[in-house]
Amino acid sequence: DVKVTQSSRYLVKRTGEKVFLECVQDMDHENMFWYRQDPGLGLRLIYFSYDVKMKEKGDIPEGYSVSREKKERFSLILESASTNQTSMYLCATKSRGVYEQYFGPGTRLTVT
Amino acid sequence: AQKITQTQPGMFVQEKEAVTLDCTYDTSDQSYGLFWYKQPSSGEMIFLIYQGSYDEQNATEGRYSLNFQKARKSANLVISASQLGDSAMYFCAMRVQGNTGFQKLVFGTGTRLLVSP
């Protein structure tokens, strides 16, 4: 079974703090994704990575950056957290050549 | 525009009955795919079923089937014999080609299903 883990289930940070969300997968998948989920908006793609050190912007990259130094780990960085970044953040992975993405349990981030 | 529309914010069904969750899509791509994911209250998204745009037969996975009507651009999920454990949020998603040439998923806003005893 694919296992995708995220560093925290719940996180509370203050406005202006630098925030790191970590995602680790154990299936050697090439592709990794970060989404945010908001009520009434569904899931929206922030960034994705198709290989180590490679990244592509998704639909809503503003205010975020990412890092992928190792194949199994994909980090989402909020350089200066703001209240409008309060959301549920979901990481997903996918193997090249198949279509379905496998998701982690999510991190509910609150920025106060 | 690449878009998924789920018009039912909430659905109720009694245990053991069948239920249909609606999904319509908009894309100009010739090759695309439709997914359904389930999200229980625990938060994790669980892959249920996939249908490719060139697949002629409707996809089925156990109690889940995807009613794919290409001309109508709809990809409804049918759950037969509902169980209490089916109570969750359900998302329809579409695989599309992004601007950079990579494929990505576009999600709908979800339908909350509640199964009552």
Side-chain angles (χ1 to χ4, degrees):
Chain A
D1 274 355
V2 177
K3 189 149 180 72
V4 184
T5 57
Q6 294 184 229
S7 48
S8 309
R9 291 302 304 270
Y10 299 94
L11 206 54
V12 179
K13 295 291 181 180
R14 293 194 182 275
T15 303
E17 278 193 81
K18 189 168 185 175
V19 181
F20 292 86
L21 303 182
E22 303 282 333
C23 176
V24 178
Q25 51 111 349
D26 67 354
M27 284 301 292
D28 206 35
H29 285 177
E30 295 84 4
N31 300 308
M32 297 186 76
F33 306 82
W34 275 107
Y35 295 89
R36 66 176 281 176
Q37 180 182 1
D38 300 289
L41 295 177
L43 277 74
R44 293 177 291 166
L45 182 63
I46 305 171
Y47 265 99
F48 67 99
S49 168
Y50 51 92
D51 207 341
V52 175
K53 297 191 188 295
M54 308 304 284
K55 62 185 180 186
E56 287 286 339
K57 292 181 181 179
D59 299 316
I60 51 163
E62 298 78 19
Y64 303 94
S65 62
V66 289
S67 171
R68 192 163 179 206
E69 296 297 317
K70 293 185 177 182
K71 192 173 186 180
E72 67 271 17
R73 188 180 296 269
F74 191 34
S75 303
L76 180 69
I77 303 155
L78 288 66
E79 294 288 344
S80 178
S82 64
T83 54
N84 62 13
Q85 292 178 310
T86 291
S87 187
M88 171 75 123
Y89 289 87
L90 289 158
C91 173
T93 76
K94 185 182 88 67
S95 180
R96 203 172 286 157
V98 299
Y99 294 131
E100 59 262 33
Q101 295 183 15
Y102 296 90
F103 284 80
T107 295
R108 192 168 291 282
L109 173 68
T110 302
V111 182
T112 62
Chain B
Q2 324 260 32
K3 191 177 178 184
I4 290 282
T5 302
Q6 294 180 254
T7 56
Q8 307 155 314
M11 289 285 286
F12 294 90
V13 68
Q14 271 205 303
E15 207 176 358
K16 298 179 186 161
E17 291 185 352
V19 63
T20 297
L21 306 184
D22 294 342
C23 172
T24 58
Y25 61 91
D26 188 16
T27 181
S28 53
D29 290 356
Q30 294 301 307
S31 175
Y32 55 89
L34 286 309
F35 299 78
W36 278 92
Y37 281 86
K38 172 184 177 181
Q39 187 180 43
S41 55
S42 57
E44 188 169 342
M45 299 279 284
I46 302 166
F47 166 73
L48 295 178
I49 196 166
Y50 171 78
Q51 176 94 35
S53 57
Y54 294 119
D55 296 339
E56 296 195 352
Q57 296 243 346
N58 284 344
T60 59
E61 289 285 349
R63 294 186 298 111
Y64 304 109
S65 60
L66 200 153
N67 184 2
F68 183 47
Q69 299 189 39
K70 202 168 181 178
R72 291 187 170 188
K73 292 195 171 181
S74 75
N76 299 338
L77 177 71
V78 180
I79 306 174
S80 63
S82 298
Q83 301 172 356
L84 296 178
D86 293 335
S87 293
M89 195 76 167
Y90 288 81
F91 289 95
C92 181
M94 177 170 60
R95 171 179 61 82
V96 300
Q97 197 80 356
N99 293 335
T100 55
F102 290 98
Q103 300 214 335
K104 63 175 187 175
L105 292 185
V106 174
F107 283 82
T109 53
T111 296
R112 185 168 297 282
L113 176 66
L114 187 59
V115 181
S116 59

